[in-house]
């Protein structure tokens, strides 16, 4: 009845396995010009009534999204949908479109598009970058109305329990889908940090992104398996494949239950070496889960979302509230707050468009240029540190000069707080992210200036190998087991050891079992992983023999190809740990 | 008819949020409400109109109210401008 089994490969963005039917979602507006030409002249009356209906339908859809978003997001997020709604309620605008249809005898969608274009041009003509950003608000609304005008596929018609296949998904789409018991998401575009990926992880559904043109290849009748562990989408699987995946789903369920036993056990190797294990955190609603289940430190708290929610630097009180909330809820656990790491893939309104954003104005470079905003953030973090459980970390460091400047500014922030008679932890620890190769190479010098290092492996690998992992064309070259990457890590750890400061790894490498075996062997003192991988990695740590891991790492540093390293690590892994890991016994 | 000159004082200017709040306030009243900026007049009850003004911090605009409840409308709208759209 069906075609041959086909396997499509993408980037694994969120773990899990599902089997089900596809829901093909095509947000882009189809080209209706041909149909319209065929029907001949335009009926003004019909166009106007179509337009009215499309607006009503759009309002209905957006209200639904708004109500959903209200449950899941806070006020700041809501404003964007609220504004879109008020565009749709703009009767002045609608009457302009209606009279445009009457005067020009053109179809509603053409007049609507022209009117929106005028608006976009006016906004773009404004010298203000913030205003220009607002064009995005209009864009989402425009697409929704056009989709309804052209009777394209409606989002609300999504079938329950389906695997969503799309070219790309907007935040609004993803939130709406989230209420529909999606089985998984596979998209042509997107990286592992795209909005879809982040939401999928928090909804705990499998997602695979960067699948190139998969949305054109999947048919409505296909049966699909989505494998969010390996980043695969399998269409028309054989009976054999289905059974093997069904077994795996069953096992995963049992296994996840068993994993909970690990919550109470210490994070130490088989031979008793303690490896600190903490989690990365971005949203406040994850805090309770982390505290009640793991009771661990937060090794990386990302603050960018505070910026992205309002599209500007939040004020001191707002930030202080957030940081204080974290510090109090995690106490006596510690939290490492990383200052804004914006730019790069995230958008900064003030930024000029750069042809190489990852090599451009981002992270600490922005903070050091916008000193007032940086001081505001430092003050807010310092004020939240009174419990003695807060550390500060700085992203995108490339050399000693930056750290000197940071320390000066930090001292200035402290001095101002003393003048204002505001309390803070006088002994607050500061650390830097090592994610730029130049910083890695001078790690020995940097280690004299700070209290800890945290290696951001995602960026370090990407910068070391000159590979953009979000580019679906080259992402296969992104390889954490490259000999240069491992030697780079070794330089950092040795530099830190020389001055006795601890090294954390907070990138995805820490969540990979093979890689974390090597990281432990190289002498990393702490792993900070996504909450979803926490127990898995604790389990791994408890299976590792520390002394042996050290020997493995030493040997790997002598190897000169990816293949040799991978084969060797796999072999050691299977010998010492693999069987146990496979056995599903805790 | 009431005419009043006001200045945009908040940092981000007349962006989406204040624009939609302004329209909501103005729409409570029966009076017509227009905003005039550098010779252009737009309907202040239309968010899309207000957005096309692209009024940044520091820009001066003239507010025009015309109708039976113009005084009440003017009081509330002017206050909204003076308060920097609640963003000060």
């Amino acid at each position: 009845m069906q075609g041959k089994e086909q396997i499509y490969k993408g980037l694994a963005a969120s773990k899990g396995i599902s089997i089900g039917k596809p829901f093909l979602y095509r947000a882009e507006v189809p080209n209706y010009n041909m149909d319209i030409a065929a029907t001949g002249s335009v009926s003004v009356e019909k166009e106007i009534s179509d337009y009215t209906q499309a607006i009503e339908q759009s309002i209905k859809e957006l209200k639904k999204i708004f109500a959903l978003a209200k449950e899941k997001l806070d006020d700041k997020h809501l404003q964007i949908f609220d504004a879109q709604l008020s565009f749709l309620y703009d009767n002045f605008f609608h009457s302009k479109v209606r009279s445009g249809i009457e005067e020009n005898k053109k179809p509603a969608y053409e007049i609507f598009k022209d009117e929106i274009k005028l608006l976009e041009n006016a906004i773009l003509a404004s010298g203000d970058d913030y205003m220009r950003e607002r064009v995005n608000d209009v864009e989402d609304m425009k697409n929704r109305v056009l989709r309804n005008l052209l009777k394209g596929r409606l989002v609300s018609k999504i079938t329950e329990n389906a695997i969503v296949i799309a070219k790309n998904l907007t935040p609004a789409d993803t939130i709406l889908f989230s209420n529909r018991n999606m089985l998984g998401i596979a998209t042509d575009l997107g990286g592992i940090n795209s909005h879809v990926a982040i939401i999928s992880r928090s909804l705990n559904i499998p997602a695979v992104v960067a699948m190139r043109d998969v949305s054109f290849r999947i048919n409505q009748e296909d049966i699909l398996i989505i494998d969010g562990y390996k980043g695969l989408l399998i269409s028309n699987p054989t009976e054999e494949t289905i059974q093997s995946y069904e077994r795996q789903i069953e096992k995963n369920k049992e296994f996840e239950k068993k994993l909970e036993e690990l919550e109470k056990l210490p994070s130490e190797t088989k031979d008793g070496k303690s490896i600190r294990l903490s989690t990365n955190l971005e949203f406040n609603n994850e805090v309770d889960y982390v505290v009640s289940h793991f009771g661990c430190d937060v090794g990386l708290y990302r603050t960018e979302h505070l910026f992205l929610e309002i599209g500007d630097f939040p004020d001191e009180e707002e930030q202080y509230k957030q940081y204080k909330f974290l510090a109090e809820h995690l106490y006596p656990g510690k939290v490492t707050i990383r200052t804004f790491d914006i730019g790069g893939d995230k958008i900064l309104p003030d930024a000029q468009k750069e042809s190489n954003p990852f090599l451009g104005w981002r992270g600490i470079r922005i903070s050091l240029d916008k000193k007032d905003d940086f001081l505001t953030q430092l003050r807010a973090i310092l004020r939240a540190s009174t419990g003695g459980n807060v550390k500060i970390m700085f992203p995108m460091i490339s050399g000693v000069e930056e750290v000197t400047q940071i320390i000066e500014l930090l001292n200035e922030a402290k001095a101002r707080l003393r003048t204002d008679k505001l309390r803070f932890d006088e002994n607050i620890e500061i650390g830097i992210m090592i994610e730029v190769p130049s910083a890695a190479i001078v790690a020995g010098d940097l280690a004299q200036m700070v209290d800890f290092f945290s290696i951001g492996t995602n960026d370090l690998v990407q910068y070391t190998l000159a590979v953009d992992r979000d580019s679906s064309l080259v992402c296969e070259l992104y390889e954490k087991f490259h000999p240069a990457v491992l030697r780079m890590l070794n330089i950092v750890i040795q530099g830190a050891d020389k001055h006795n400061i601890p090294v954390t790894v907070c990138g995805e490498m820490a969540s990979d079992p093979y890689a974390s075996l090597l990281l432990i062997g190289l002498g990393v003192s702490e792993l900070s992983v996504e909450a979803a991988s926490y127990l898995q990695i604790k389990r791994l740590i408890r299976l590792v023999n520390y002394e042996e891991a050290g020997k493995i790492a030493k040997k790997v540093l002598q190897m000169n190809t990816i293949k040799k390293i991978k084969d060797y690590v796999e072999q050691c892994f299977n010998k010492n740990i693999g069987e146990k890991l496979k056995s599903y016994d805790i | 008819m009431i005419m009043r000159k006001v200045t945009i004082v908040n940092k981000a200017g007349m962006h989406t949020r204040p624009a939609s709040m302004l329209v909501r306030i103005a729409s409570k009243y029966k009076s017509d409400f227009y905003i005039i900026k550098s010779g252009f007049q737009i309907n202040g009850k239309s968010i899309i109109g207000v957005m096309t003004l692209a009024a940044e911090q520091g820009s001066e605009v003239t507010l025009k109210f015309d109708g039976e409840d113009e005084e009440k409308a003017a009081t509330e709208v002017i206050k909204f401008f003076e308060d920097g759209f609640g963003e000060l």
Side-chain angles (χ1 to χ4, degrees), chain A residues 88-120:
Chain A
L88 292 173
Y89 281 123
D90 193 335
N91 284 324
F92 179 76
F93 178 80
H94 299 327
S95 62
K96 258 170 93 184
V97 174
R98 285 192 197 102
S99 53
I101 297 171
E102 281 168 4
E103 280 164 28
N104 302 303
K105 312 254 181 303
K106 276 187 177 172
Y109 81 94
E110 275 188 33
I111 304 290
F112 174 76
K113 255 168 55 182
D114 291 348
E115 285 294 333
I116 289 284
K117 191 85 215 145
L118 286 178
L119 168 68
E120 285 175 343

mmCIF file of all heavy atoms in Angstrom, chain A residues 88-120:
data_model
loop_
_atom_site.group_PDB
_atom_site.id
_atom_site.type_symbol
_atom_site.label_atom_id
_atom_site.label_comp_id
_atom_site.label_asym_id
_atom_site.label_seq_id
_atom_site.Cartn_x
_atom_site.Cartn_y
_atom_site.Cartn_z
ATOM 1 N N LEU A 88 -5.896 44.031 13.977
ATOM 2 C CA LEU A 88 -7.053 43.415 13.324
ATOM 3 C C LEU A 88 -8.362 44.138 13.662
ATOM 4 O O LEU A 88 -9.338 44.029 12.944
ATOM 5 C CB LEU A 88 -7.159 41.940 13.720
ATOM 6 C CG LEU A 88 -6.040 41.042 13.175
ATOM 7 C CD1 LEU A 88 -6.143 39.655 13.752
ATOM 8 C CD2 LEU A 88 -6.108 40.979 11.656
ATOM 9 N N TYR A 89 -8.354 44.865 14.783
ATOM 10 C CA TYR A 89 -9.566 45.604 15.164
ATOM 11 C C TYR A 89 -9.584 47.008 14.557
ATOM 12 O O TYR A 89 -10.446 47.808 14.876
ATOM 13 C CB TYR A 89 -9.651 45.732 16.695
ATOM 14 C CG TYR A 89 -10.146 44.473 17.376
ATOM 15 C CD1 TYR A 89 -9.395 43.841 18.354
ATOM 16 C CD2 TYR A 89 -11.391 43.940 17.049
ATOM 17 C CE1 TYR A 89 -9.857 42.696 18.985
ATOM 18 C CE2 TYR A 89 -11.858 42.798 17.671
ATOM 19 C CZ TYR A 89 -11.083 42.180 18.633
ATOM 20 O OH TYR A 89 -11.550 41.047 19.244
ATOM 21 N N ASP A 90 -8.601 47.329 13.720
ATOM 22 C CA ASP A 90 -8.472 48.694 13.215
ATOM 23 C C ASP A 90 -9.460 48.964 12.085
ATOM 24 O O ASP A 90 -9.179 48.737 10.917
ATOM 25 C CB ASP A 90 -7.029 48.908 12.733
ATOM 26 C CG ASP A 90 -6.736 50.376 12.505
ATOM 27 O OD1 ASP A 90 -7.685 51.151 12.261
ATOM 28 O OD2 ASP A 90 -5.561 50.751 12.575
ATOM 29 N N ASN A 91 -10.641 49.479 12.447
ATOM 30 C CA ASN A 91 -11.677 49.702 11.439
ATOM 31 C C ASN A 91 -11.304 50.774 10.438
ATOM 32 O O ASN A 91 -11.733 50.744 9.286
ATOM 33 C CB ASN A 91 -13.007 50.062 12.113
ATOM 34 C CG ASN A 91 -13.631 48.810 12.705
ATOM 35 O OD1 ASN A 91 -13.515 47.729 12.120
ATOM 36 N ND2 ASN A 91 -14.239 48.951 13.865
ATOM 37 N N PHE A 92 -10.507 51.706 10.877
ATOM 38 C CA PHE A 92 -10.062 52.768 9.985
ATOM 39 C C PHE A 92 -9.274 52.144 8.824
ATOM 40 O O PHE A 92 -9.468 52.464 7.659
ATOM 41 C CB PHE A 92 -9.207 53.752 10.772
ATOM 42 C CG PHE A 92 -8.665 54.870 9.944
ATOM 43 C CD1 PHE A 92 -9.486 55.918 9.558
ATOM 44 C CD2 PHE A 92 -7.328 54.872 9.552
ATOM 45 C CE1 PHE A 92 -8.973 56.949 8.797
ATOM 46 C CE2 PHE A 92 -6.823 55.906 8.788
ATOM 47 C CZ PHE A 92 -7.641 56.954 8.408
ATOM 48 N N PHE A 93 -8.410 51.222 9.191
ATOM 49 C CA PHE A 93 -7.608 50.528 8.180
ATOM 50 C C PHE A 93 -8.497 49.690 7.263
ATOM 51 O O PHE A 93 -8.368 49.725 6.043
ATOM 52 C CB PHE A 93 -6.564 49.648 8.873
ATOM 53 C CG PHE A 93 -5.712 48.850 7.923
ATOM 54 C CD1 PHE A 93 -4.645 49.429 7.264
ATOM 55 C CD2 PHE A 93 -5.985 47.500 7.682
ATOM 56 C CE1 PHE A 93 -3.861 48.699 6.387
ATOM 57 C CE2 PHE A 93 -5.206 46.764 6.801
ATOM 58 C CZ PHE A 93 -4.145 47.367 6.156
ATOM 59 N N HIS A 94 -9.433 48.957 7.870
ATOM 60 C CA HIS A 94 -10.311 48.105 7.063
ATOM 61 C C HIS A 94 -11.128 48.926 6.060
ATOM 62 O O HIS A 94 -11.330 48.500 4.932
ATOM 63 C CB HIS A 94 -11.265 47.300 7.958
ATOM 64 C CG HIS A 94 -10.542 46.394 8.888
ATOM 65 N ND1 HIS A 94 -9.350 45.791 8.561
ATOM 66 C CD2 HIS A 94 -10.836 45.969 10.146
ATOM 67 C CE1 HIS A 94 -8.939 45.045 9.571
ATOM 68 N NE2 HIS A 94 -9.823 45.146 10.549
ATOM 69 N N SER A 95 -11.584 50.110 6.495
ATOM 70 C CA SER A 95 -12.403 50.888 5.562
ATOM 71 C C SER A 95 -11.547 51.373 4.399
ATOM 72 O O SER A 95 -12.015 51.518 3.278
ATOM 73 C CB SER A 95 -13.097 52.052 6.282
ATOM 74 O OG SER A 95 -12.138 52.915 6.813
ATOM 75 N N LYS A 96 -10.245 51.592 4.672
ATOM 76 C CA LYS A 96 -9.348 51.968 3.578
ATOM 77 C C LYS A 96 -9.219 50.821 2.573
ATOM 78 O O LYS A 96 -9.232 51.025 1.362
ATOM 79 C CB LYS A 96 -7.959 52.322 4.129
ATOM 80 C CG LYS A 96 -7.718 53.814 4.211
ATOM 81 C CD LYS A 96 -6.460 54.131 4.964
ATOM 82 C CE LYS A 96 -5.229 54.284 4.087
ATOM 83 N NZ LYS A 96 -4.015 54.510 4.905
ATOM 84 N N VAL A 97 -9.097 49.603 3.097
ATOM 85 C CA VAL A 97 -8.990 48.436 2.207
ATOM 86 C C VAL A 97 -10.275 48.284 1.404
ATOM 87 O O VAL A 97 -10.250 48.087 0.185
ATOM 88 C CB VAL A 97 -8.708 47.150 3.019
ATOM 89 C CG1 VAL A 97 -8.753 45.923 2.115
ATOM 90 C CG2 VAL A 97 -7.356 47.242 3.714
ATOM 91 N N ARG A 98 -11.429 48.434 2.085
ATOM 92 C CA ARG A 98 -12.709 48.265 1.386
ATOM 93 C C ARG A 98 -12.862 49.278 0.266
ATOM 94 O O ARG A 98 -13.236 48.918 -0.850
ATOM 95 C CB ARG A 98 -13.876 48.386 2.374
ATOM 96 C CG ARG A 98 -14.010 47.148 3.224
ATOM 97 C CD ARG A 98 -15.315 47.120 4.006
ATOM 98 N NE ARG A 98 -15.167 46.145 5.072
ATOM 99 C CZ ARG A 98 -14.925 46.464 6.338
ATOM 100 N NH1 ARG A 98 -14.855 47.722 6.707
ATOM 101 N NH2 ARG A 98 -14.767 45.509 7.235
ATOM 102 N N SER A 99 -12.551 50.549 0.576
ATOM 103 C CA SER A 99 -12.725 51.540 -0.501
ATOM 104 C C SER A 99 -11.698 51.302 -1.601
ATOM 105 O O SER A 99 -11.980 51.567 -2.772
ATOM 106 C CB SER A 99 -12.673 52.974 0.048
ATOM 107 O OG SER A 99 -11.504 53.155 0.799
ATOM 108 N N GLY A 100 -10.533 50.761 -1.225
ATOM 109 C CA GLY A 100 -9.533 50.405 -2.238
ATOM 110 C C GLY A 100 -10.058 49.352 -3.201
ATOM 111 O O GLY A 100 -9.850 49.427 -4.411
ATOM 112 N N ILE A 101 -10.776 48.380 -2.642
ATOM 113 C CA ILE A 101 -11.337 47.315 -3.482
ATOM 114 C C ILE A 101 -12.375 47.905 -4.430
ATOM 115 O O ILE A 101 -12.387 47.629 -5.628
ATOM 116 C CB ILE A 101 -11.990 46.216 -2.610
ATOM 117 C CG1 ILE A 101 -10.933 45.540 -1.722
ATOM 118 C CG2 ILE A 101 -12.692 45.170 -3.476
ATOM 119 C CD1 ILE A 101 -11.504 44.591 -0.684
ATOM 120 N N GLU A 102 -13.221 48.769 -3.882
ATOM 121 C CA GLU A 102 -14.283 49.376 -4.706
ATOM 122 C C GLU A 102 -13.705 50.218 -5.822
ATOM 123 O O GLU A 102 -14.136 50.122 -6.977
ATOM 124 C CB GLU A 102 -15.197 50.237 -3.831
ATOM 125 C CG GLU A 102 -16.203 49.409 -3.060
ATOM 126 C CD GLU A 102 -16.909 50.206 -1.971
ATOM 127 O OE1 GLU A 102 -16.660 51.432 -1.862
ATOM 128 O OE2 GLU A 102 -17.698 49.593 -1.235
ATOM 129 N N GLU A 103 -12.715 51.027 -5.485
ATOM 130 C CA GLU A 103 -12.174 51.948 -6.491
ATOM 131 C C GLU A 103 -11.386 51.223 -7.567
ATOM 132 O O GLU A 103 -11.501 51.524 -8.749
ATOM 133 C CB GLU A 103 -11.254 52.977 -5.817
ATOM 134 C CG GLU A 103 -12.021 54.099 -5.150
ATOM 135 C CD GLU A 103 -11.134 54.866 -4.185
ATOM 136 O OE1 GLU A 103 -9.906 54.912 -4.410
ATOM 137 O OE2 GLU A 103 -11.674 55.390 -3.193
ATOM 138 N N ASN A 104 -10.563 50.265 -7.149
ATOM 139 C CA ASN A 104 -9.649 49.644 -8.116
ATOM 140 C C ASN A 104 -10.183 48.364 -8.741
ATOM 141 O O ASN A 104 -9.565 47.821 -9.646
ATOM 142 C CB ASN A 104 -8.308 49.354 -7.447
ATOM 143 C CG ASN A 104 -7.674 50.608 -6.889
ATOM 144 O OD1 ASN A 104 -7.445 51.562 -7.618
ATOM 145 N ND2 ASN A 104 -7.448 50.633 -5.586
ATOM 146 N N LYS A 105 -11.276 47.853 -8.169
ATOM 147 C CA LYS A 105 -11.845 46.585 -8.656
ATOM 148 C C LYS A 105 -10.771 45.482 -8.689
ATOM 149 O O LYS A 105 -10.663 44.730 -9.652
ATOM 150 C CB LYS A 105 -12.451 46.751 -10.067
ATOM 151 C CG LYS A 105 -13.359 47.941 -10.226
ATOM 152 C CD LYS A 105 -14.814 47.486 -10.288
ATOM 153 C CE LYS A 105 -15.795 48.639 -10.484
ATOM 154 N NZ LYS A 105 -15.726 49.692 -9.446
ATOM 155 N N LYS A 106 -10.011 45.466 -7.644
ATOM 156 C CA LYS A 106 -8.958 44.449 -7.553
ATOM 157 C C LYS A 106 -9.297 43.503 -6.413
ATOM 158 O O LYS A 106 -10.060 43.856 -5.509
ATOM 159 C CB LYS A 106 -7.619 45.122 -7.257
ATOM 160 C CG LYS A 106 -6.910 45.642 -8.492
ATOM 161 C CD LYS A 106 -5.534 46.109 -8.082
ATOM 162 C CE LYS A 106 -4.709 46.579 -9.257
ATOM 163 N NZ LYS A 106 -3.456 47.193 -8.788
ATOM 164 N N PRO A 107 -8.750 42.287 -6.436
ATOM 165 C CA PRO A 107 -9.049 41.360 -5.344
ATOM 166 C C PRO A 107 -8.551 41.884 -3.989
ATOM 167 O O PRO A 107 -7.584 42.634 -3.926
ATOM 168 C CB PRO A 107 -8.298 40.080 -5.730
ATOM 169 C CG PRO A 107 -7.439 40.411 -6.885
ATOM 170 C CD PRO A 107 -7.913 41.689 -7.471
ATOM 171 N N ALA A 108 -9.260 41.467 -2.945
ATOM 172 C CA ALA A 108 -8.991 41.977 -1.599
ATOM 173 C C ALA A 108 -7.538 41.772 -1.201
ATOM 174 O O ALA A 108 -6.915 42.649 -0.615
ATOM 175 C CB ALA A 108 -9.912 41.285 -0.595
ATOM 176 N N TYR A 109 -6.982 40.597 -1.531
ATOM 177 C CA TYR A 109 -5.638 40.327 -1.035
ATOM 178 C C TYR A 109 -4.606 41.284 -1.624
ATOM 179 O O TYR A 109 -3.640 41.642 -0.974
ATOM 180 C CB TYR A 109 -5.241 38.868 -1.258
ATOM 181 C CG TYR A 109 -4.748 38.518 -2.645
ATOM 182 C CD1 TYR A 109 -3.380 38.521 -2.925
ATOM 183 C CD2 TYR A 109 -5.639 38.182 -3.666
ATOM 184 C CE1 TYR A 109 -2.919 38.197 -4.189
ATOM 185 C CE2 TYR A 109 -5.194 37.860 -4.923
ATOM 186 C CZ TYR A 109 -3.832 37.872 -5.189
ATOM 187 O OH TYR A 109 -3.383 37.572 -6.427
ATOM 188 N N GLU A 110 -4.848 41.749 -2.879
ATOM 189 C CA GLU A 110 -3.886 42.684 -3.484
ATOM 190 C C GLU A 110 -3.929 44.034 -2.787
ATOM 191 O O GLU A 110 -2.904 44.620 -2.464
ATOM 192 C CB GLU A 110 -4.186 42.871 -4.974
ATOM 193 C CG GLU A 110 -3.554 41.795 -5.821
ATOM 194 C CD GLU A 110 -3.693 42.094 -7.313
ATOM 195 O OE1 GLU A 110 -3.683 43.283 -7.679
ATOM 196 O OE2 GLU A 110 -3.803 41.125 -8.076
ATOM 197 N N ILE A 111 -5.157 44.523 -2.558
ATOM 198 C CA ILE A 111 -5.306 45.810 -1.885
ATOM 199 C C ILE A 111 -4.737 45.732 -0.472
ATOM 200 O O ILE A 111 -4.004 46.615 -0.031
ATOM 201 C CB ILE A 111 -6.807 46.215 -1.807
ATOM 202 C CG1 ILE A 111 -7.420 46.243 -3.212
ATOM 203 C CG2 ILE A 111 -6.976 47.539 -1.091
ATOM 204 C CD1 ILE A 111 -6.932 47.367 -4.094
ATOM 205 N N PHE A 112 -5.053 44.637 0.200
ATOM 206 C CA PHE A 112 -4.575 44.458 1.573
ATOM 207 C C PHE A 112 -3.049 44.478 1.598
ATOM 208 O O PHE A 112 -2.424 45.147 2.416
ATOM 209 C CB PHE A 112 -5.117 43.141 2.147
ATOM 210 C CG PHE A 112 -4.575 42.793 3.505
ATOM 211 C CD1 PHE A 112 -5.037 43.456 4.633
ATOM 212 C CD2 PHE A 112 -3.608 41.812 3.658
ATOM 213 C CE1 PHE A 112 -4.547 43.143 5.889
ATOM 214 C CE2 PHE A 112 -3.108 41.492 4.905
ATOM 215 C CZ PHE A 112 -3.577 42.162 6.025
ATOM 216 N N LYS A 113 -2.443 43.735 0.686
ATOM 217 C CA LYS A 113 -0.984 43.674 0.628
ATOM 218 C C LYS A 113 -0.386 45.061 0.380
ATOM 219 O O LYS A 113 0.595 45.434 1.019
ATOM 220 C CB LYS A 113 -0.536 42.716 -0.486
ATOM 221 C CG LYS A 113 -0.031 41.416 0.095
ATOM 222 C CD LYS A 113 0.188 40.268 -0.823
ATOM 223 C CE LYS A 113 1.020 40.277 -2.015
ATOM 224 N NZ LYS A 113 0.971 38.981 -2.730
ATOM 225 N N ASP A 114 -1.011 45.823 -0.542
ATOM 226 C CA ASP A 114 -0.506 47.168 -0.833
ATOM 227 C C ASP A 114 -0.577 48.071 0.387
ATOM 228 O O ASP A 114 0.359 48.814 0.685
ATOM 229 C CB ASP A 114 -1.320 47.805 -1.973
ATOM 230 C CG ASP A 114 -1.056 47.108 -3.307
ATOM 231 O OD1 ASP A 114 -0.087 46.311 -3.357
ATOM 232 O OD2 ASP A 114 -1.803 47.344 -4.272
ATOM 233 N N GLU A 115 -1.724 48.005 1.096
ATOM 234 C CA GLU A 115 -1.896 48.869 2.269
ATOM 235 C C GLU A 115 -0.874 48.517 3.350
ATOM 236 O O GLU A 115 -0.318 49.388 4.008
ATOM 237 C CB GLU A 115 -3.320 48.745 2.833
ATOM 238 C CG GLU A 115 -4.377 49.464 2.005
ATOM 239 C CD GLU A 115 -4.188 50.984 2.018
ATOM 240 O OE1 GLU A 115 -3.638 51.517 2.993
ATOM 241 O OE2 GLU A 115 -4.590 51.640 1.024
ATOM 242 N N ILE A 116 -0.644 47.203 3.540
ATOM 243 C CA ILE A 116 0.324 46.768 4.551
ATOM 244 C C ILE A 116 1.725 47.216 4.148
ATOM 245 O O ILE A 116 2.527 47.646 4.969
ATOM 246 C CB ILE A 116 0.286 45.233 4.716
ATOM 247 C CG1 ILE A 116 -1.000 44.809 5.411
ATOM 248 C CG2 ILE A 116 1.483 44.737 5.505
ATOM 249 C CD1 ILE A 116 -1.038 45.060 6.899
ATOM 250 N N LYS A 117 1.985 47.156 2.853
ATOM 251 C CA LYS A 117 3.302 47.583 2.357
ATOM 252 C C LYS A 117 3.538 49.053 2.711
ATOM 253 O O LYS A 117 4.627 49.424 3.146
ATOM 254 C CB LYS A 117 3.354 47.390 0.840
ATOM 255 C CG LYS A 117 4.714 47.540 0.220
ATOM 256 C CD LYS A 117 5.494 46.225 0.288
ATOM 257 C CE LYS A 117 6.970 46.543 0.491
ATOM 258 N NZ LYS A 117 7.690 45.621 1.308
ATOM 259 N N LEU A 118 2.493 49.881 2.557
ATOM 260 C CA LEU A 118 2.620 51.298 2.908
ATOM 261 C C LEU A 118 2.991 51.450 4.378
ATOM 262 O O LEU A 118 3.842 52.246 4.743
ATOM 263 C CB LEU A 118 1.289 52.027 2.649
ATOM 264 C CG LEU A 118 0.921 52.312 1.191
ATOM 265 C CD1 LEU A 118 -0.441 52.994 1.138
ATOM 266 C CD2 LEU A 118 1.990 53.203 0.554
ATOM 267 N N LEU A 119 2.325 50.656 5.203
ATOM 268 C CA LEU A 119 2.594 50.717 6.638
ATOM 269 C C LEU A 119 4.022 50.296 6.927
ATOM 270 O O LEU A 119 4.754 50.963 7.663
ATOM 271 C CB LEU A 119 1.605 49.793 7.372
ATOM 272 C CG LEU A 119 1.926 49.509 8.828
ATOM 273 C CD1 LEU A 119 1.776 50.750 9.677
ATOM 274 C CD2 LEU A 119 1.020 48.411 9.384
ATOM 275 N N GLU A 120 4.431 49.186 6.318
ATOM 276 C CA GLU A 120 5.791 48.690 6.568
ATOM 277 C C GLU A 120 6.827 49.715 6.126
ATOM 278 O O GLU A 120 7.812 49.947 6.816
ATOM 279 C CB GLU A 120 6.016 47.363 5.836
ATOM 280 C CG GLU A 120 5.307 46.209 6.523
ATOM 281 C CD GLU A 120 5.401 44.892 5.753
ATOM 282 O OE1 GLU A 120 5.725 44.925 4.554
ATOM 283 O OE2 GLU A 120 5.142 43.851 6.360
#
